[in-house]
Amino acid sequence: MSTLLLTADTDKAERELLGACLVCREALPQALTVGLTEDDFFGPHHRQIFAAMLAQKADGEQPDLMSTWARMQAKEIAHHLKAHGSDGYLSELATNAPVSGFADLARAVKLAAHDRQLALLRTQHADRDMSEVKRRDLAAQIRSLQGERDRLATHADGWPGEPGPPLPFADSVPPPWPELALPPVLAEFVQAVAAFSQVPRSMPALIGLGTLSAAFAGKVVATLPNGHTEALSLYCVAAADVSERKSSTFAQFATPIYDYQRERKEQLAPLRSEYEAERAGLQAEHDQAIQERKRAKSGSPQHGDACDRAKRLREKLDQLKPPPAWEFVTKDTTAEGLAKLMSRTGGFALLFSPEGGGVFDRMAGHYDREPNLDVFLKSYDGESFGSHRASAEREVAEVQRPALAIVLTTQPATLQKLTERRELEDRGLVARFLFALPTDSQIGNRTPDSPAIPARVASAYTEAMLRCLRIDRPDVPHRLSLSPDAVTEYERLHWQIEPQLKPGGSLYDMRGWAGKLIGKIVRVAALFHLWELTIQGNAAPWNAPISGDTFRRAAELAPWLIEHARAAFCLMKQSADTAKARRLLDGLRKEKAETFTTRTAQRLIAKNGTKAEAERVLDVLHTHNYVAPLPTARKDSQRWRVHPDEVQRWTEGRNDAA
């Protein structure tokens, strides 16, 4: 094939499209809507890059700079980039990537490939020595290919809207929990709980992560090479619909938590008794000294002795510190109630509830004029807090190093409470959460005889959790460092995430949450490390640095966490018009209406719906490419056509989530 067929515009389109696929999650799916394949790229190096991306997509991975380079090395095709700067070439593509127009770029690459193939076929067709049979065959190929090219160039297929399939209302369908992500013992228990409760593995997996945080938060901090430290608090919420067996799933993880709380009660009860007896004795002596001072003549030796004794006893009473409260778990509390609890426990608490909707009410300031977020915000990073109020009942003693773990399950609709008050998002509370929104529900396919959790598996998990929970809580947290290999993995993760935060990047729209993602992964890696070494019998697991393999396993959770957070934010910000758009699509499906008018839409949306309401909803569907306007002579009601892919979905009886 002649290099004269490669134009500067074609090379630019190929480079921009490949760069976009490295940094924008929407680029590759849009490229595939026009039927783009690796053979459509002119340059061998571009073909191999795209081939690596297609292999990643087939394995459920999201292409990015580091993972695509790793895939090319694994497929032994990385040498194709040697003459172009190796992985530096991918970095150059990503840096110069556009932020939109992906389908147009893919179409330009595809059209150029058609033009090259047509030129080649026409050159062969001009060969005078060719047999008539082969000439007719080539002519048929040329006509067919020319027809494909013309249809692509004119968007012709009877669909008047934008090329490509409808765009889902949710940016993505969250993936299932990745295999082999969790450390031993915990992984086996999560799998057993998921099978027993017949729920998506995502739910018990996130609950399990949260319980690890409850065991180690406040005891250890992870230290990065630049000296920054990450506390080990995790805020985890799994959202699932009614009847998804959230409570029964939650209960399986509660056993060691409450067993340890009972142990604390038994251990601290004698200390509490000693404290109460000592305080009562000192108070009685102090009261007696006060009475003696009142009876003695002012200025007399007896009066001076009584004053001195009362002062010494008062100082002892003030210095007498109560032992920590044994109860550190709470299911539902106000911010002030949580702060007071943590001031009594020594600074740590676990907010642990299978019905977390009420918690979000409290966070949003359900009972207060303005939400009090300090306890949630500062406990995440171990920053001290306290309050001094006019009312003694509302005063909270200062907590120097708070450590809070949050583990909740709730219904998806209650997540919207996190955006009812702008303060929750503006001050970064929402950005601190890890979300799970399982889409692989087993409702409708559950059996009456699910396998019981093996006693061995439950016992191993309970014993391991108790061993972690029983580790003493030091006055100053132990510092856990990263090994050189873990530092390499940390830097690799940074360069995977950071470019996606810039304008046009795939994480820009959720940069508040994604900006904390690397820190969350550091926390998870530290928890994996501490868990594994503790159950191996290491009494001081923080003395050994986090290995590269442990950090790598934690980092593999990043794509899962991103997609579930994306789904959560989409749900939290979903407008009423989006819900009505879903209702209209359902009505059109029931009526099998491939074309319809605005007036029909008005009827299907609501019994007493208005034209203005219908137009807003149609704008949502048009924006997402579900419907497109048809030319019409009528001015009283616009006519619309439903996307052929949506009609085919109706025909096949599929009920894909929009």
Side-chain angles (χ1 to χ4, degrees), residues 224-352:
L224 299 177
N226 62 2
H228 173 76
T229 60
E230 286 286 346
L232 301 191
S233 291
L234 292 181
Y235 293 179
C236 303
V237 55
D241 286 323
V242 177
S243 301
E244 280 286 3
R245 297 177 175 170
K246 298 185 290 293
S247 296
S248 64
T249 302
F250 213 92
Q252 308 307 320
F253 291 88
T255 300
I257 298 291
Y258 288 110
D259 284 351
Y260 175 66
Q261 190 166 251
R262 282 190 290 271
E263 283 186 13
R264 279 175 56 83
K265 183 177 182 180
E266 294 175 2
Q267 293 167 356
L268 295 173
L271 296 179
R272 172 63 64 174
S273 298
E274 291 178 16
Y275 165 78
E276 296 291 353
E278 178 71 9
R279 185 169 189 84
L282 288 172
Q283 187 66 57
E285 292 182 41
H286 176 266
D287 293 345
Q288 183 179 1
I290 293 295
Q291 293 300 321
E292 290 177 359
R293 187 184 67 174
K294 290 180 179 179
R295 288 194 295 267
K297 183 178 180 181
S298 178
S300 67
Q302 293 82 359
H303 185 273
D305 290 344
C307 287
D308 290 342
R309 190 162 70 256
K311 181 180 178 181
R312 289 195 304 272
L313 290 167
R314 183 70 263 172
E315 289 174 351
K316 285 185 177 181
L317 279 167
D318 292 341
Q319 294 170 1
L320 191 62
K321 299 297 182 184
W326 59 271
E327 188 174 17
F328 67 95
V329 182
T330 179
K331 292 184 177 180
D332 190 9
T333 180
T334 63
E336 290 179 343
L338 180 61
K340 186 158 286 189
L341 171 66
M342 295 177 72
S343 72
R344 295 198 304 263
T345 62
F348 74 104
L350 170 61
L351 188 49
F352 193 65

Side-chain angles (χ1 to χ4, degrees), residues 629-640:
L630 291 169
T632 179
R634 296 181 58 184
K635 296 183 179 181
D636 59 335
S637 186
Q638 173 66 52
R639 192 159 192 84
W640 301 81

